[in-house]
Amino acid sequence: MSARLTLDPGLVARARELAELAAQPVIDLATRHTTVSVERAVLRLAGLEGTDPVTGEGEIPWVNRVVDVVREQVGLEHGVALPVWHAIASGAASSLQDVAEQVGAGTARLAVPTGGDEERAREAALAAVGAGLGRVDAARRRREELVATHGDPPRRPWIYLIVATGDIYEDIPQAQAAARAGADVIAVIRSTGQSLLDYVPEGATRTGYAGTYATQENFRLMRAALDDVCAELGRYVRLTNYASGLCMPEIAALAGLERLDMMLNDAMYGILFRDINPIRTFVDQRFSRMVHARAGIIINTGEDNYLTTADAVDEAHTVTVSQLLNERFAREAGLEDWQLGLGHAFEINPAIHDSFRLELAHAMLARALFPHAPLKWMPPTKHMTGDVFGGYLLDGFFNLAGALTDQGILLVGMMTEAVVTPWLSDRDLALRNVRYVLDAAGGLSEDFAPPPGGFIDRRAHTVLGEAVELLEKITADGLLPAIAQGTFGITKRPADRGKGLDGVVVKAPGHLDPATELMEGRA
C-alpha cells in the first residue's frame, strides 16, 4: 500500500510517542485487574460448553454458573483456574464438566490451593487451556491453508457486506449469495442489545432483533457455509462478527476456536456508545486482543462511530488520536500491523463546500500514518436523508474515495440507510455501485498525488497537528479523565460508572490466568 502524503516525520514520531505514554497507565491498570468475562473465557478455552438447564432462570451457560460460584465461595482475586483445577487435581471432581455439574447440583466445595496443591492445580489448568489454544492455532493454520488453496480476493479494498436477519438459517443463504455477488467479507451483525448481555447465548438461534445472536454454533454454521462458497468461487471469503460489549473476551475466544477472520474490537466503543464501564472495557479488550493476535484475526476498530455524534470536520483529530491509541493497545497485546483494521468514515456533511476534498484529506492522512494497516473505510450514515437517489450518488463518491486512497476494507453503503433494513435488492444495487467504481477506477490511485502545500496536504497536516495537541493534553491529564470529559464522540463516561463495573476484580498476588500466561509466553 502506498502513502502519497509526505508527513512531517518528527510530528508522526511525536504522535506515536504520546499515544504510548497515554496508553501505558491504562495497560498497567488492565494487567492489575481481571473480570468475570475474562475468567469465563478461560473456562471456554479449556473446553467448557453448554448450559445449566435446571436453574429455574432459563438456560444459564455453565461458564457463568461456575465463575459465579467460585466468586461466592472463594472470590475471583486468585482467578477461576486455581480453585477449579484444584478440585480436579485433588480428585473432588473428575473433569471440568464434572465441576460444572457439581456447581449446578449445589454440591461443589471450592478452595484456593496453596503449596504443592497450588502447583498441581496450576499445571493442570495450563495443560487444559493450552489444549484450547492449540485448537485456536489449528484454526489459524487451516485458514492459511484455505487462503493458499483458494487465494485472496484479487484486489483491494476488500468488499465488506453486512448480513443479519435474526435467523442464522436465513443468514446463511443470504451470505452465500452476497459472496457470489462480489462480497469478500461477510459481517453477521449481532442482535440488538447483545453487547449488554453478561452471558453468551448457546446454540443456533432464530429469534434475533435487527441482527443475529453471536454464539459458538452460529459461528460454526456460517463459517462452514462460507467454506463451501470459497471452493465454488476460487477465493477465500472472510467472516466477521463483534467482539465487543460485556462478553468481549468470551466472544473473542469463540471466534478463535471457530475460525472467524475479522472481529469488531475497538478500545473505547463499548464505553462511549454502550455505557460499559471504562475499566471493565480496557481489561476485557486487552485479553480479547491477545486472543485475536494468537488466532490471526484482523480487528476492526470503531472510530467511524465518533462521527455519528460529533462533527466530522471539527472533531477529525479525535479520530486520528483514537486510531493511534488503538494501534498502541493492539501492538501491546501482540497484534501485527496487518491485523489492524483501523476505522474511519465518510461522514462530512455533503452540503459543505469542498466536502469531498476534505474526505480525501482525512482518508489519505490515515493511509500515510498507518501504511501497512488494512484500514476499514465506513460509508455515510449521518447525512443519508432517505433520498435513495442522492444516497446512491453519495455512496458512489465514498467508493471512489476508498479507491483513490488505498483503503483496505470497504463497507458497502446502502442507499436505503435511514429508511429500512436493506432488502436483498438494495444489497445487489449497492454491490453494483462498488463493483463499477472499483473496476472503472482500476489503478487510479497510482496517478492521484495531491501536490505538497495544496488543499489536501494542508488539511491533513492541520488534523495531525491538532491530534498531537490533544494527545499532549491526554498524556498530561490521563486517558480515563479524558473519556470522562467527553473528548471522544462528545460523550462523557466516568471511570467509576457504567455497566459491568461490578464484574471487575483486583488481582491478588498469585492470581492465575493460564490463557494470558500462555499467550504472553510466560508459561
Side-chain angles (χ1 to χ4, degrees):
M1 293 183 180
S2 59
R4 291 168 307 284
L5 284 181
T6 303
L7 300 176
D8 178 349
L11 199 59
V12 171
R14 180 60 177 160
R16 283 201 163 86
E17 177 189 12
L18 290 167
E20 183 171 350
L21 290 171
Q24 193 57 49
V26 174
I27 294 168
D28 294 340
L29 182 74
T31 61
R32 295 194 302 269
H33 291 79
T34 186
T35 73
V36 290
S37 187
V38 168
E39 301 299 333
R40 296 193 300 250
V42 168
L43 296 177
R44 288 188 181 276
L45 286 169
L48 186 57
E49 301 178 2
T51 60
D52 180 357
V54 293
T55 60
E57 304 172 30
E59 293 192 355
I60 297 177
W62 281 124
V63 293
N64 287 65
R65 294 280 285 129
V66 172
V67 168
D68 289 349
V69 168
V70 169
R71 191 174 193 182
E72 290 168 8
Q73 293 189 6
V74 299
L76 286 176
E77 290 77 8
H78 290 86
V80 73
L82 284 175
V84 165
W85 272 277
H86 173 52
I88 298 169
S90 68
S94 61
S95 64
L96 184 54
Q97 184 64 36
D98 189 24
V99 172
E101 290 176 3
Q102 289 182 25
V103 164
T107 61
R109 298 294 179 265
L110 300 163
V112 177
T114 58
D117 289 339
E118 178 183 359
E119 187 57 32
R120 283 186 286 274
R122 171 185 166 80
E123 290 176 1
L126 287 167
V129 175
L133 289 173
R135 290 176 58 198
V136 172
D137 295 340
R140 178 173 181 164
R141 289 193 297 271
R142 180 59 178 155
R143 179 193 302 114
E144 292 167 353
E145 291 168 0
L146 289 170
V147 170
T149 299
H150 301 307
D152 270 324
R155 64 183 173 196
R156 289 289 186 99
W158 290 342
I159 300 172
Y160 176 116
L161 188 74
I162 293 174
V163 171
T165 66
D167 181 343
I168 188 63
Y169 294 106
E170 292 292 332
D171 291 343
I172 286 172
Q174 290 199 19
Q176 291 175 321
R180 293 185 182 106
D184 303 312
V185 183
I186 300 296
V188 182
I189 199 168
R190 289 188 302 180
S191 180
T192 298
Q194 185 176 353
S195 61
L196 300 182
L197 298 180
D198 214 347
Y199 68 93
V200 179
E202 290 275 338
T205 63
R206 310 195 71 166
T207 55
Y209 301 92
T212 303
Y213 285 104
T215 75
Q216 184 170 8
E217 179 63 7
N218 285 350
F219 289 176
R220 187 191 67 79
L221 289 168
M222 183 60 80
R223 182 64 269 171
L226 292 179
D227 283 348
D228 290 341
V229 174
C230 293
E232 173 189 328
L233 298 177
R235 59 182 167 84
Y236 187 71
V237 179
R238 285 170 169 80
L239 175 59
T240 301
N241 212 282
Y242 296 70
S244 59
L246 292 171
C247 292
M248 188 191 307
E250 295 173 80
I251 292 176
L254 297 177
L257 291 166
E258 300 301 334
R259 193 169 37 90
L260 272 69
D261 307 287
M262 293 186 188
M263 295 297 284
L264 277 288
N265 189 233
D266 185 78
M268 292 185 283
Y269 173 83
I271 300 169
L272 300 175
F273 300 101
R274 293 295 180 267
D275 194 21
I276 295 172
N277 175 260
I279 299 172
R280 172 74 178 261
T281 298
F282 283 119
V283 177
D284 285 349
Q285 71 90 24
R286 182 172 188 267
F287 183 96
S288 65
R289 289 186 174 191
M290 292 174 69
V291 175
H292 294 327
R294 180 74 174 243
I297 288 172
I298 296 171
I299 66 167
N300 296 171
T301 62
E303 284 82 5
D304 56 286
N305 294 282
Y306 302 175
L307 304 183
T308 63
T309 53
D311 184 81
V313 177
D314 295 342
E315 301 300 321
H317 61 294
T318 67
V319 170
T320 303
V321 168
S322 178
Q323 290 169 334
L324 288 161
L325 290 169
N326 260 310
E327 177 191 54
R328 175 58 193 151
F329 286 128
R331 285 179 171 174
E332 189 277 334
L335 288 155
E336 299 179 33
D337 285 355
W338 66 268
Q339 294 175 282
L340 305 185
L342 300 170
H344 57 147
F346 190 95
E347 290 285 18
I348 295 173
N349 186 343
I352 292 176
H353 186 64
D354 283 329
S355 65
F356 188 63
R357 296 171 84 192
L358 289 167
E359 294 283 14
L360 291 174
H362 298 173
M364 293 191 74
L365 170 61
R367 173 45 68 217
L369 269 178
F370 309 102
H372 305 296
L375 301 178
K376 185 181 180 186
W377 185 226
M378 299 291 286
T381 59
K382 185 176 182 179
H383 298 289
M384 298 292 272
T385 63
D387 172 2
V388 295
F389 302 105
Y392 201 66
L393 178 63
L394 199 58
D395 283 336
F397 272 74
F398 158 75
N399 295 331
L400 179 59
L404 283 174
T405 60
D406 287 329
Q407 300 303 301
I409 304 161
L410 185 148
L411 194 150
V412 177
M414 295 292 152
M415 74 295 294
T416 48
E417 180 75 39
V419 182
V420 296
T421 300
W423 299 95
L424 290 176
S425 56
D426 299 338
R427 292 197 187 110
D428 181 62
L429 287 169
L431 283 167
R432 291 187 194 183
N433 189 330
V434 175
R435 290 197 306 268
Y436 167 71
V437 171
L438 296 186
D439 287 344
L444 185 59
S445 64
E446 298 175 7
D447 307 312
F448 179 60
F455 179 93
I456 289 174
D457 181 77
R458 294 196 310 273
R459 174 60 186 170
H461 279 87
T462 295
V463 173
L464 179 58
E466 291 173 350
V468 168
E469 290 177 7
L470 179 56
L471 279 166
E472 288 172 341
K473 185 176 188 304
I474 292 172
T475 300
D477 299 343
L479 179 55
L480 292 179
I483 294 170
Q485 293 160 11
T487 300
F488 302 98
I490 58 172
T491 305
K492 298 179 179 181
R493 300 297 190 201
D496 60 351
R497 299 184 186 177
K499 302 173 181 69
L501 177 58
D502 58 350
V504 179
V505 178
V506 178
K507 295 178 181 177
H511 175 278
L512 175 62
D513 172 354
T516 296
E517 287 201 14
L518 289 163
M519 289 187 291
E520 289 184 336
R522 293 188 283 116

